[in-house]
Amino acid sequence: MATYDLTPRIAPNLDRHLVFPSLEFLQERQLYPDDQILKAKIELLNKTNMVDYAMDIHKSLYHTEDVPQDMVERRAEVVARLKSLEEGAAPLVAFLQNPNAVQELRADKQYNIQMLKERYQIGLEQIEALYQYAKFQFECGNYSGAADYLYQYRALCTNSERSLSALWGKLAAEILMQNWDIALEELNRLKEIIDSKSFSSPLNQLQSRIWLMHWSLFIFFNNENGRTQIIDLFNQDKYLNAIQTNAPHLLRYLATAFIVNKRRRPQFKEFIKVIQQEQHSYKDPITEFLACVYVNYDFDGAQKKMKECEEVILNDPFLGKRVEESNYSTVPLREEFLENARLFIFETYCRIHQRIDMGVLAEKLNLNYEEAERWIVNLIRTSKLDAKIDSQSGTVIMEPNYPNVHEQLIDHTKALSGRTYKLVGQLLEHAQAQVAR
């Protein structure tokens, strides 16, 4: 199922360290030959300072205990450079490790810089050295140390570009340590800066949004409310436009979030239009499933796509997360997806039929007759679905459901209010941009 693997599209939008978890997943799933994955790892590692890890992979790949001389020399260079950077940052690191001294810091960065210079002989050179030391620690794979130093650096840094770079680094470190709650805080902080910052070019802002959405996948699919949060972020006009312009493959994750999200949102109808518009630039079984159900009303096609969707989820590094339970592992998202996908088919099929043969419905839902009957009975019992089962004829009889005029009016009013709010926001942004010029 490597046909639907998005790693080649996603990797260029990630820090190289963030690519390793995806390669580990692909190696575990055996989607590619083992040698190919190991070579990809070495190629990534050659651009980092994780020389010991590169040496271990080289030994596994070539089944030898010997390593190339250039790796040995590179290791010596890294150790020497780390020692040099450590010495350069030592005065500030010593200050930050002194609880009594740290209490002298205030929210005013200019005051802090002046105080450090006068009382501790720590200047801008040492603050910059802390950034370089933190960055080098990150490249060595010491994500915990890097996160701490980058946090402290941002508290002292007055250069907005450097501060932004440090925030990206801290976000990457928190993701790699799987500190999902802290990573979410950093993600929101970064989004706020990207949306409010004045970029030298709109293309730079667009690229920053695309990077942010790719990095967010790690967080949203490991967070309790991630399926709601990914819709909140990706479905915003500016971010959805960025997806349609430069990263249509991200529609897979937004589509999955809509399918497994139990609260059906008003934005879903608009999203179906996006799926329809972007079919020429991107499609996979998950987006095609939605097109089958809501655009083409092709229920046989939807059933086939459901089986393919299952394989896509199992082999996707973000969707296929496994949870160990006693002696076996499960993929929770797979079960949720299939359950909700059946519900999508059932609801849509019921809207256009008044009397439905149970055998036909079972086939559409990819279940046997008994499973389909139990599933529909449970659905009628637990939801507001106005239907009944005729056991003698083996059919589901739908009661007519006429739309409530008042509810329709409220929905249209809400949509109008939302569009007005967006229009006002765009006008204000344009006015602010004109003033800034």
Side-chain angles (χ1 to χ4, degrees):
M1 211 52 168
T3 311
Y4 298 113
D5 176 34
L6 292 180
T7 305
R9 290 198 189 193
I10 289 174
N13 295 288
L14 300 176
D15 180 276
R16 60 179 61 92
H17 290 253
L18 293 174
V19 180
F20 285 109
S22 293
L23 292 179
E24 293 285 350
F25 178 90
L26 296 176
Q27 187 174 17
E28 183 185 322
R29 293 292 298 162
Q30 300 180 336
L31 286 190
Y32 298 94
D34 211 41
D35 288 0
Q36 191 176 339
I37 296 288
L38 291 174
K39 285 177 182 175
K41 284 184 179 180
I42 287 181
E43 189 178 340
L44 276 176
L45 288 167
N46 286 339
K47 297 170 185 173
T48 73
N49 296 325
M50 298 166 70
V51 189
D52 289 342
Y53 187 24
M55 286 178 171
D56 290 340
I57 291 176
H58 183 276
K59 291 174 184 177
S60 299
L61 178 59
Y62 296 104
H63 310 290
T64 177
E65 287 301 310
D66 298 325
V67 292
Q69 185 61 29
D70 62 334
M71 281 191 174
V72 176
E73 292 171 0
R74 170 81 174 136
R75 188 181 190 283
E77 288 174 13
V78 168
V79 171
R81 177 68 175 151
L82 181 62
K83 187 176 180 182
S84 171
L85 289 170
E86 190 174 5
E87 289 171 358
L92 184 50
V93 170
F95 168 84
L96 293 168
Q97 289 175 346
N98 182 341
N100 294 327
V102 169
Q103 287 181 356
E104 297 183 51
L105 293 174
R106 296 181 185 175
D108 185 345
K109 291 184 180 181
Q110 291 297 342
Y111 168 84
N112 292 336
I113 290 170
Q114 189 175 350
M115 183 271 292
L116 287 170
K117 184 70 175 173
E118 292 174 356
R119 299 187 196 176
Y120 297 93
Q121 291 72 54
I122 294 172
L124 295 176
E125 187 179 338
Q126 284 76 30
I127 294 173
E128 176 61 20
L130 180 66
Y131 172 81
Q132 296 297 339
Y133 182 50
K135 189 172 184 292
F136 203 84
Q137 288 276 13
F138 181 88
E139 292 297 337
C140 290
N142 178 11
Y143 305 123
S144 177
D148 289 342
Y149 291 136
L150 288 170
Y151 171 77
Q152 291 160 341
Y153 171 78
R154 289 193 72 244
L156 299 170
C157 175
T158 54
N159 182 316
S160 61
E161 292 299 326
R162 263 284 197 260
S163 181
L164 182 60
S165 176
L167 184 55
W168 279 107
K170 186 165 188 303
L171 173 60
E174 299 296 354
I175 289 171
L176 288 160
M177 291 189 292
Q178 300 184 11
N179 293 333
W180 305 122
D181 290 339
I182 299 173
L184 181 60
E185 291 173 13
E186 302 297 359
L187 182 80
N188 290 331
R189 195 170 285 122
L190 196 52
K191 178 187 178 296
E192 189 177 335
I193 293 171
I194 291 170
D195 288 345
S196 61
K197 185 176 180 291
S198 178
F199 282 81
S200 57
S201 160
L203 285 176
N204 293 340
Q205 189 173 37
L206 174 69
Q207 187 58 62
S208 294
R209 287 191 173 120
I210 289 169
W211 286 340
L212 187 79
M213 286 188 284
H214 280 88
W215 292 36
S216 74
L217 295 174
F218 292 95
I219 301 166
F220 291 146
F221 287 104
N222 284 286
N223 187 286
E224 187 178 350
N225 298 316
R227 287 84 174 276
T228 301
Q229 291 161 343
I230 194 172
I231 294 173
D232 291 339
L233 176 63
F234 284 27
N235 212 50
Q236 289 180 32
D237 283 350
K238 291 173 183 176
Y239 287 85
L240 192 56
N241 288 340
I243 290 173
Q244 291 179 267
T245 306
N246 274 30
H249 53 274
L250 291 177
L251 290 172
R252 170 186 293 184
Y253 302 102
L254 184 52
T256 302
F258 268 119
I259 291 170
V260 300
N261 200 307
K262 289 184 171 59
R263 290 184 298 162
R264 197 68 50 78
R265 293 168 171 251
Q267 306 101 306
F268 184 63
K269 288 180 182 177
E270 293 301 316
F271 178 65
I272 294 299
K273 292 178 186 175
V274 173
I275 291 287
Q276 194 173 2
Q277 290 165 5
E278 297 302 321
Q279 280 182 321
H280 66 282
S281 61
Y282 179 78
K283 59 183 177 181
D284 65 24
I286 294 176
T287 61
E288 287 179 308
F289 168 79
L290 288 177
C292 283
V293 176
Y294 291 100
V295 179
N296 305 321
Y297 301 103
D298 177 5
F299 300 105
D300 291 332
Q303 180 200 346
K304 291 173 186 173
K305 290 300 170 189
M306 264 181 69
K307 294 177 182 176
E308 293 177 23
C309 288
E310 188 173 0
E311 286 301 311
V312 169
I313 290 168
L314 291 174
N315 293 316
D316 185 288
F318 300 104
L319 306 179
K321 180 188 173 186
R322 280 171 161 65
V323 174
E324 299 297 327
E325 293 182 3
S326 59
N327 296 326
Y328 63 95
S329 64
T330 61
V331 179
L333 190 72
R334 169 181 169 270
E335 303 304 326
E336 284 184 68
F337 184 96
L338 294 177
E339 176 68 17
N340 283 285
R342 288 191 189 102
L343 185 58
F344 276 37
I345 293 173
F346 180 70
E347 286 179 346
T348 309
Y349 196 78
C350 289
R351 276 196 211 105
I352 56 178
H353 295 85
Q354 188 174 359
R355 183 182 288 269
I356 307 162
D357 182 87
M358 189 75 78
V360 173
L361 194 56
E363 187 181 340
K364 304 294 182 196
L365 297 172
N366 200 24
L367 298 170
N368 63 41
Y369 189 94
E370 288 75 18
E371 287 173 337
E373 188 172 27
R374 281 198 302 271
W375 187 81
I376 293 167
V377 167
N378 186 56
L379 193 66
I380 293 170
R381 185 187 300 129
T382 57
S383 73
K384 296 178 181 178
L385 192 69
D386 198 359
K388 59 184 179 181
I389 294 177
D390 185 338
S391 301
Q392 288 186 340
S393 61
T395 57
V396 179
I397 301 169
M398 303 301 301
E399 296 296 333
N401 185 12
Y402 300 108
N404 185 305
V405 177
H406 298 292
E407 287 180 4
Q408 284 185 314
L409 183 61
I410 290 169
D411 287 342
H412 286 304
T413 307
K414 280 181 181 177
L416 183 62
S417 174
R419 287 197 294 270
T420 305
Y421 179 79
K422 287 176 186 175
L423 181 60
V424 171
Q426 287 170 355
L427 288 170
L428 286 172
E429 279 186 17
H430 181 70
Q432 287 168 358
Q434 292 293 329
V435 172
R437 287 177 188 171

